[in-house]
């Protein structure tokens, strides 16, 4: 079988394959550009929301610390009341005797 070459040295089917490959390369370049812009936009949004999240986190941390202190104070009051109730019961038992 004899292969015919075009004047530029390519086989006729090569041109079609090269056209398809070039279209795919252009499509990939376009998609890459779109992806880069999308990533830039995401980074910009993330940069804008990060300080807000930090503020909210700081507020929540302060609220948790305050709640923790209040719980400790309530536990201390509970222990004092239990101690006082114990003394009262002992006094009641002593008086009843």
């Amino acid at each position: 079988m004899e292969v015919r070459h075009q004047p530029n040295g390519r086989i006729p089917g090569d041109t079609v394959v090269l056209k398809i490959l070039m279209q795919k390369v252009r499509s990939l370049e376009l998609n890459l550009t779109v992806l880069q812009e999308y990533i830039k936009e995401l980074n910009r949004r993330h940069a804008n929301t990060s300080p807000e999240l930090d503020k909210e986190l700081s507020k929540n941390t302060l609220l948790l610390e305050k709640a923790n202190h209040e719980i400790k104070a309530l536990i201390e009051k509970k222990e004092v009341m239990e101690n006082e109730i114990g003394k009262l019961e002992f006094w009641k038992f002593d008086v009843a005797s």
Side-chain angles (χ1 to χ4, degrees):
M1 207 167 171
E2 188 177 311
V3 177
R4 293 184 190 176
H5 291 278
Q6 292 181 344
N8 61 6
R10 292 193 180 132
I11 301 174
D14 285 353
T15 306
V16 174
V17 171
L18 287 175
K19 283 183 183 179
I20 293 171
L21 289 175
M22 287 304 295
Q23 287 173 348
K24 290 192 182 271
V25 167
R26 282 189 210 108
S27 175
L28 287 172
E29 287 174 343
L30 180 63
N31 289 339
L32 179 62
T33 304
V34 171
L35 181 61
Q36 287 172 336
E37 292 300 316
Y38 178 71
I39 290 172
K40 285 179 186 177
E41 178 66 19
L42 286 178
N43 285 336
R44 186 187 61 76
R45 287 183 186 178
H46 177 70
N48 290 342
T49 57
S50 184
E52 292 174 18
L53 290 176
D54 288 341
K55 288 178 186 176
E56 287 294 321
L57 185 60
S58 296
K59 286 180 187 177
N60 289 338
T61 301
L62 290 174
L63 288 173
L64 285 173
E65 288 175 0
K66 183 179 176 183
N68 193 20
H69 289 299
E70 290 176 359
I71 289 171
K72 286 180 181 178
L74 286 172
I75 290 172
E76 289 174 4
K77 287 181 182 180
K78 177 185 162 257
E79 291 172 354
V80 168
M81 287 183 70
E82 286 175 345
N83 189 15
E84 293 295 322
I85 290 172
K87 287 180 184 178
L88 184 61
E89 286 178 352
F90 181 73
W91 176 81
K92 179 181 165 186
F93 176 75
D94 202 23
V95 169
S97 299

